[in-house]
Amino acid sequence: MIQRWSRDQVLALAPDASSRTAGQGVASPARWMLRGVTDDIVFGTCRGSGARPYHTCVDLDEPAYLCSCPSRKVPCKHVLGLLLLWSGEGLPEVPLPPWAAEWVGQRITRAEARAARLDAGSGSGTVESGAADVTPSVPAASGGRGPGPAGVVESARQARVAIGLTDLERWLADQVRQGLAAADPDDWHGLSKRLVDAQAPGAAGIAGRLAYVLGRDGWPSRLLAEYALLHLLVVAYRRRDELPADLARTVMQRVGFTVNRDVVLAGARVRDVWDVLGRRDEELDRVSARRVWLRGRDTGRAALVLTFAPPGQAPDASFVPGTAIDAELAFYPGASPVRAILAHRHSPLGGLLVEGEPGRALSAVPPALTPEEALAEVAGALAGDPWIDSWPLVLAGVVPEAGQVAGLPWHPAEPVPWRLIALSGGHPVTVAVEWTPDGLRPLSAWDEDGRVVLL
């Protein structure tokens, strides 16, 4: 039996604020002609504005949603309302109605077909917890330098990138020679555009964030550090053939060379029970990006699952913050691999396994690190990839304050985490955070009873 989600976890699934409000309006037993739950399926029939009621079903393993209403939002208000009823007082355990059983059967059939295709294509790509990753060769990560038309095209791009990065190196030397007081955001914007034209979008992204440094406390030292990271990337790209293979892959990706998704999935996978610590949405150029942070219970590995959605569509909602999933992740190659793709889910999924239930019993609170252990982990990650700008951590036994936690400051863009402070009440708690060079961002925390609180 999957542990019931909290109200915060359910509302975190909503694609927007209006859906959250509408979902709470539907979360009334009087609106539902039928509602029930099995081991991992929540279902119900809701009265709507039309003559026919709406059939609503949620597979908690993914989660995945079904609703016969005309809404294009995923999940819709009926799904949210049904989940809110389940998270509150629970739902009766009754057999699946035929329409829900048909949908579940179709999902099982598709999942079995996908698993068969993956097994046929990846061979023995799965590794057990703690095993080493196997990643593609440097040519695969850098686009390839082999013969043939693809190799010629990629070599031409590499030459164009090299010219763009040489221009960047001269620009950086001029900036340091003139002094930081002459820094002009308009120059940074033009530099970013030139790097995009040189087909180095990764370097352009690093240059594009320079403008956010100005105006902050201690901005001269921070700006100089950003210049140093850009110069390091330029030199590393020029000398990539001399670097260890993993570091060379990291450099190529930081410059902007992408790794094909199929290449990542063809590599080794790491199976673990992954705690979903939190997620953050941000708007990029004409797309919405969702960053989901996870940590493995056995491996202790950090993972970032990054998904994108076009305008008007909800981002991927398959990871519910505060839950744990038994899954295989395939990591992008690199010296400090953190970005990953969900390769396969195992059952039971979508929540913590409860003490006394069949299968493995897990503590409600994930394994955590002392502040010293957390800083050592971040230092190790930066040693492999100096351009890392965020990393998920779970801190144990810390007392949060308005300006800091465990001696580490909060990110200046974050409001004072009053909810976390109230949860703590001046006592040590376990809290999940996102480390960044500018400070920590709170993700989630656990109270004295082991219940998760999303921040």
Side-chain angles (χ1 to χ4, degrees):
M1 174 69 72
I2 290 180
Q3 186 184 51
R4 272 191 283 167
W5 302 341
S6 68
R7 180 182 179 87
D8 283 350
Q9 288 173 282
V10 173
L11 293 178
L13 298 173
D16 51 42
S18 62
S19 296
R20 283 193 292 272
T21 302
Q24 294 175 79
V26 178
S28 169
R31 295 286 302 271
W32 295 84
M33 304 163 57
L34 167 71
R35 59 188 189 278
V37 61
T38 64
D39 286 343
D40 50 8
I41 304 294
V42 175
F43 56 91
T45 301
C46 182
R47 293 185 178 90
S49 56
R52 296 183 177 180
Y54 299 132
H55 294 320
T56 306
C57 195
V58 182
D59 183 343
L60 299 170
D61 278 352
E62 296 290 340
Y65 316 105
L66 168 72
C67 189
S68 59
C69 75
S71 174
R72 294 185 178 181
K73 294 184 178 181
V74 181
C76 68
K77 66 179 182 180
H78 304 102
V79 167
L80 294 172
L82 180 62
L83 288 175
L84 286 171
L85 287 173
W86 170 65
S87 72
E89 299 179 359
L91 297 175
E93 294 188 24
V94 295
L96 286 174
W99 57 268
E102 180 182 1
W103 179 67
V104 171
Q106 292 172 348
R107 286 182 50 73
I108 292 174
T109 300
R110 288 196 296 269
E112 290 175 344
R114 283 197 303 270
R117 289 196 300 271
L118 285 172
D119 290 340
S122 61
S124 55
T126 301
V127 296
E128 296 301 323
S129 298
D133 281 305
V134 178
T135 51
S137 63
V138 174
S142 62
R145 301 185 190 179
V152 172
V153 171
E154 196 55 58
S155 296
R157 181 188 171 185
Q158 289 179 3
R160 188 168 185 173
V161 169
I163 294 172
L165 293 185
T166 299
D167 180 48
L168 170 60
E169 188 172 26
R170 286 195 296 266
W171 183 89
L172 288 170
D174 291 341
Q175 295 297 305
V176 174
R177 187 181 305 108
Q178 295 169 8
L180 299 180
D184 187 349
D186 289 337
D187 291 341
W188 300 334
H189 180 67
L191 171 68
S192 182
K193 290 181 62 176
R194 291 196 300 275
L195 288 170
V196 170
D197 292 341
Q199 295 182 288
I206 299 176
R209 72 188 186 200
L210 294 175
Y212 297 103
V213 175
L214 288 183
R216 294 184 179 178
D217 293 339
W219 69 265
S221 60
R222 181 63 182 157
L223 182 60
L224 190 60
E226 293 288 346
Y227 284 171
L229 286 174
L230 277 170
H231 184 262
L232 180 64
L233 186 61
V234 171
V235 175
Y237 181 80
R238 184 167 60 237
R239 303 179 61 179
R240 61 191 181 279
D241 291 337
E242 305 172 29
L243 300 177
D246 285 343
L247 182 54
R249 296 184 185 102
T250 296
V251 170
M252 297 300 290
Q253 291 176 63
R254 290 299 181 184
V255 168
F257 290 87
T258 59
V259 181
N260 188 281
R261 179 185 176 92
D262 292 337
V263 172
V264 178
L265 289 173
R269 307 172 194 170
V270 179
R271 180 176 179 180
D272 204 341
V273 175
W274 301 90
D275 285 289
V276 185
L277 304 180
R279 71 187 187 196
R280 193 175 306 281
D281 295 340
E282 54 187 359
E283 294 296 325
L284 303 177
D285 292 339
R286 296 185 296 277
V287 296
S288 298
R290 170 161 291 176
R291 301 159 67 91
V292 180
W293 290 113
L294 306 96
R295 283 189 72 95
R297 291 250 171 166
D298 290 334
T299 61
R301 291 192 62 163
L304 165 66
V305 177
L306 182 61
T307 58
F308 301 92
Q313 293 188 20
D316 175 46
S318 59
F319 293 94
V320 180
T323 64
I325 61 171
D326 180 5
E328 297 169 22
L329 298 184
F331 284 82
Y332 282 76
S336 294
V338 65
R339 187 182 173 190
I341 298 174
L342 176 64
H344 183 66
R345 288 178 183 261
H346 295 267
S347 186
L349 307 171
L352 294 174
L353 307 183
V354 183
E355 299 279 353
E357 294 291 336
R360 178 182 171 191
L362 294 176
S363 166
V365 182
L369 305 171
T370 65
E372 294 76 16
E373 292 170 335
L375 288 176
E377 180 176 310
V378 171
L382 288 171
D385 182 355
W387 303 278
I388 286 176
D389 58 3
S390 58
W391 193 269
L393 298 168
V394 181
L395 303 177
V398 295
V399 180
E401 300 178 13
Q404 57 87 27
V405 60
L408 302 173
W410 298 113
H411 193 286
E414 290 289 324
V416 176
W418 293 118
R419 191 176 189 190
L420 174 60
I421 295 172
L423 175 69
S424 167
H427 300 286
V429 293
T430 298
V431 57
V433 297
E434 177 188 353
W435 172 89
T436 77
D438 294 318
L440 304 181
R441 294 179 180 269
L443 296 173
S444 51
W446 290 262
D447 63 16
E448 57 186 8
D449 297 321
R451 291 173 298 196
V452 65
V453 176
L454 304 182
L455 304 173

